[in-house]
């Protein structure tokens, strides 16, 4: 199935409009529930609004960036690109795990393995979405962001969501989950944001691809870590992400 869907009336605009109305429904549906459910509803509503805004910014953001700038920015974009690759973190996590096992630090070893699992889940989720959605990349000839080829493995049609953003924000969420340190968390999410910026600047992703990757990475990472840690304090690691959402997902 390699069908092509083109939004004559603007798939992005229709989806953005639907998402902007979603927050009006979800909190109301949760009004009779407890505080935790209402809090979760507000987080999902916030995610819908952020993503809707990103959809509307796809065109303007694409036009505001240029890959023919000075040499400093491209170097920064290269570093950000590296930070969005799972292969960057694999040897680091392996080294931390090996060291923790040698010195007998079970907590660090467990946290490292859980972080690796969270990254794998986020990566698998992103790859699945890319295959299902099949959105054209902005550097695909003639693309305006409203073309989709469902169930395709063609790299030119794997824009949504951004894998680099997913990985970077999944890692940032893991750092936040285990460190509970404001400066460390800010640095992790700042680096993740730089990764997303680089992908838009290099014309490899639409803004909404990056925002979706950030949301998917944060959610899947936090959800995985909560599930793996469910034998402990249910509220452990719920410090929340500076990227608006903490995704307090009840996993029990």
């Amino acid at each position: 199935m390699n069908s092509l869907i083109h939004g004559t009336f603007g798939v992005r605009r229709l989806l953005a409009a639907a998402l902007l109305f979603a927050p009006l429904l979800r909190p109301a549906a949760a009004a009779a529930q407890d505080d935790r459910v209402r809090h979760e509803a507000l987080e999902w509503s916030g995610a819908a609004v952020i993503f809707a805004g990103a959809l509307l910014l796809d065109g303007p953001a694409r036009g505001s960036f240029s890959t023919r700038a000075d040499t400093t920015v491209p170097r920064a974009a290269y570093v950000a690109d590296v930070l969005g690759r799972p292969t960057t973190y694999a040897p680091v996590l392996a080294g931390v795990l090996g060291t923790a096992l040698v010195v007998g630090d079970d907590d660090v070893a467990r946290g490292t393995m859980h972080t690796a699992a969270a990254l794998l889940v986020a990566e698998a989720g992103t790859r699945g979405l890319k295959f299902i959605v099949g959105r054209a990349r902005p550097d695909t000839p003639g693309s305006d962001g409203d073309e989709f080829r469902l169930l395709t493995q063609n790299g030119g049609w794997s824009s949504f969501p951004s894998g680099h953003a997913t990985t970077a924000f999944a890692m940032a969420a893991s750092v936040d989950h285990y460190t509970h340190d404001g400066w460390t968390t800010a640095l992790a999410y700042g680096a993740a944001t730089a990764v997303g910026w680089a992908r838009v600047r290099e014309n490899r992703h639409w803004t909404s691809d990056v925002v979706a990757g950030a949301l998917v990475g944060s959610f899947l990472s936090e959800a995985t870590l909560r599930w793996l840690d469910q034998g402990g304090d249910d509220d452990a690691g719920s410090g929340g992400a500076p990227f608006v959402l903490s995704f307090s997902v009840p996993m029990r």
Side-chain angles (χ1 to χ4, degrees), residues 65-81 194 197-198 201-202:
F65 289 109
S66 172
T67 57
R68 296 185 298 275
D70 57 75
T71 57
T72 303
V73 174
R75 287 172 186 162
Y78 171 77
V79 173
D81 176 71
W197 163 81
R201 184 187 181 280
E202 296 299 305

Side-chain angles (χ1 to χ4, degrees), residues 223-249:
T224 301
L225 295 174
R226 284 180 178 275
W227 182 75
L228 292 172
D229 293 344
Q230 66 181 340
D233 183 359
D234 189 55
D235 292 326
S238 60
F243 195 88
V244 178
L245 306 173
S246 61
F247 287 114
S248 301
V249 182

Side-chain angles (χ1 to χ4, degrees), residues 42-61:
L42 289 174
E43 290 179 335
W44 282 105
S45 298
V49 171
I50 292 170
F51 183 60
L55 285 168
L56 297 176
L57 287 174
D58 278 341

Side-chain angles (χ1 to χ4, degrees), residues 70-233:
D70 57 75
T71 57
T72 303
V73 174
R75 287 172 186 162
Y78 171 77
V79 173
D81 176 71
V82 172
L83 291 177
R85 297 181 180 276
T87 52
T88 299
Y89 301 107
V92 175
L93 293 175
V96 173
L97 176 60
T99 302
L101 292 175
V102 169
V103 302
D105 193 326
D106 293 338
D107 289 338
V108 172
R110 185 181 302 107
T112 303
M113 289 188 290
H114 288 184
T115 297
L119 290 177
L120 287 174
V121 170
E123 177 72 9
T126 298
R127 288 182 178 272
L129 284 172
K130 283 177 176 290
F131 172 70
I132 293 171
V133 176
R135 188 185 194 185
R137 292 185 181 272
D139 58 359
T140 298
S143 173
D144 63 4
D146 283 338
E147 295 88 14
F148 301 85
R149 285 182 179 176
L150 307 182
L151 307 181
T152 180
Q153 295 182 345
N154 188 319
W157 296 82
S158 61
S159 192
F160 183 90
S162 166
H164 282 68
T166 298
T167 297
F169 276 88
M171 189 65 195
S174 297
V175 169
D176 178 42
H177 184 91
Y178 286 115
T179 63
H180 310 292
D181 178 77
W183 285 106
T184 303
T185 296
L187 180 62
Y189 277 99
T193 301
V195 170
W197 163 81
R199 299 305 284 169
V200 176
R201 184 187 181 280
E202 296 299 305
N203 204 34
R204 291 295 289 161
H205 283 287
W206 304 97
T207 302
S208 56
D209 297 335
V210 168
V211 171
L215 295 173
V216 168
S218 299
F219 171 74
L220 290 181
S221 179
E222 183 65 20
T224 301
L225 295 174
R226 284 180 178 275
W227 182 75
L228 292 172
D229 293 344
Q230 66 181 340
D233 183 359

